[in-house]
Amino acid sequence: QVHLVESGGGSVQAGGSLRLSCAASGRTFSIYAMGWFRQAPGKEREFVAAITLNAGEIYYAESVKGRFTISKDNSKNTVYLQMNSLQPGDTAFYYCAADETKSSYHARLAASYEYWGQGTQVTVSF
């Protein structure tokens, strides 16, 4: 089992920044990739960014490319999401996810991830 805990959410004004952290514990040696998804009220959960832990391959949703940066610290089993130039449209609950199965991994598909954190709220106001 892998346990994920997100932190760093909060409320900011448009144009501001936040950094989310996702700390993994348990079978961390089995994790192939980690990702961030978000879900706004009344909307589907959507992909934000992902990173593979060994090769460091990175994926972004078009809507956040150039504003968000995903990074990792393997020594701390932690993945970060630096969010700059935040917009009200970024308001959502942000979830961290982990995938163990390289052979079937699709970074942008929520179904590809076996483990999920509880999420953290990000609110961006005008």
Side-chain angles (χ1 to χ4, degrees):
Q1 288 286 332
V2 173
H3 185 56
L4 304 173
V5 178
E6 302 98 332
S7 60
S11 297
V12 294
Q13 289 189 321
S17 299
L18 284 172
R19 188 174 85 151
L20 305 183
S21 299
C22 175
S25 59
R27 288 171 47 97
T28 57
F29 61 87
S30 69
I31 299 174
Y32 171 69
M34 293 179 70
W36 289 96
F37 288 74
R38 66 186 182 186
Q39 187 166 19
K43 294 189 176 182
E44 303 258 329
R45 188 170 297 191
E46 65 172 358
F47 169 75
V48 176
I51 187 167
T52 61
L53 297 193
N54 286 336
E57 297 166 324
I58 290 175
Y59 309 84
Y60 291 108
E62 284 300 317
S63 60
V64 306
K65 199 174 288 186
R67 299 188 298 123
F68 290 12
T69 302
I70 189 169
S71 62
K72 61 184 178 71
D73 185 336
N74 288 353
S75 67
K76 296 181 180 179
N77 296 316
T78 300
V79 170
Y80 305 96
L81 185 68
Q82 177 67 43
M83 305 185 294
N84 298 328
S85 302
L86 283 162
Q87 304 164 3
D90 296 315
T91 295
F93 218 72
Y94 282 69
Y95 296 91
C96 176
D99 171 78
E100 288 183 319
T101 312
K102 177 182 179 180
S103 60
S104 61
Y105 180 63
H106 295 279
R108 293 174 173 83
L109 295 182
S112 191
Y113 297 83
E114 292 90 358
Y115 302 100
W116 292 83
Q118 293 298 306
T120 185
Q121 177 69 42
V122 171
T123 303
V124 185
S125 58
F126 287 101

